[in-house]
Amino acid sequence: MTSGQFAEILISAAKAFRKDKLFPEILPSLDGNELNDDVISKVLTPFVESVRPKLSGDALKAIDYRLAEFIPIGLERIRTNSHMHNFQSGTQLNKDSADALLVGLINDTVAPMDFALYAEDFEEVEA
């Protein structure tokens, strides 16, 4: 699997995760909570679990490793890369911070490839 294929799998899985689980189930139960390790884990771990069946070998190792590494620095990472999403300030979980966490995890996972995923890339184009 190439890095580009890996990134595309992650993006496709993130879009489905946002629609099917994050926004209807996870976000309503955690909305407004402080973005600490526990909350970040409750957002990102189900995403990784949803994408695991689509991965194998090095890709699977990479997403598992990056998740463990990203959780404790998630808030710092999304602040550092604030140009990639709509979450600009604050410390609470909301739609923008949840998208920012997904963007951050995916971009960090496919590094060193500069994939440059933005939160707007999750939005479906209206015909």
Side-chain angles (χ1 to χ4, degrees):
M1 172 182 317
T2 69
S3 294
Q5 291 168 324
F6 183 30
E8 290 301 325
I9 289 170
L10 294 177
I11 292 167
S12 176
K15 286 179 180 181
F17 175 74
R18 288 171 78 245
K19 179 181 157 215
D20 299 337
K21 186 136 179 99
L22 179 60
F23 294 151
E25 295 177 23
I26 297 171
L27 192 57
S29 69
L30 296 173
D31 195 25
N33 281 305
E34 289 293 313
L35 284 169
N36 57 34
D37 292 2
D38 183 54
V39 170
I40 293 170
S41 178
K42 287 178 180 175
V43 170
L44 295 179
T45 300
F47 165 66
V48 170
E49 290 302 318
S50 75
V51 77
R52 285 179 63 81
K54 299 172 179 81
L55 303 174
S56 63
D58 289 342
L60 189 55
K61 289 177 191 173
I63 192 75
D64 287 341
Y65 173 81
R66 193 58 68 184
L67 175 65
E69 185 179 75
F70 190 86
I71 288 171
I73 62 166
L75 183 56
E76 175 187 331
R77 292 292 291 143
I78 63 177
R79 285 182 175 156
T80 300
N81 293 307
S82 61
H83 63 287
M84 307 294 279
H85 49 74
N86 293 324
F87 181 69
Q88 298 304 312
S89 64
T91 59
Q92 282 82 34
L93 181 66
N94 57 39
K95 178 189 179 299
D96 289 338
S97 60
D99 275 345
L101 289 169
L102 284 172
V103 165
L105 177 64
I106 292 170
N107 279 329
D108 281 10
T109 301
V110 298
M113 183 177 100
D114 184 12
F115 192 67
L117 174 67
Y118 290 82
E120 65 192 33
D121 294 328
F122 290 146
E123 301 299 326
E124 296 298 321
V125 177
E126 303 267 333

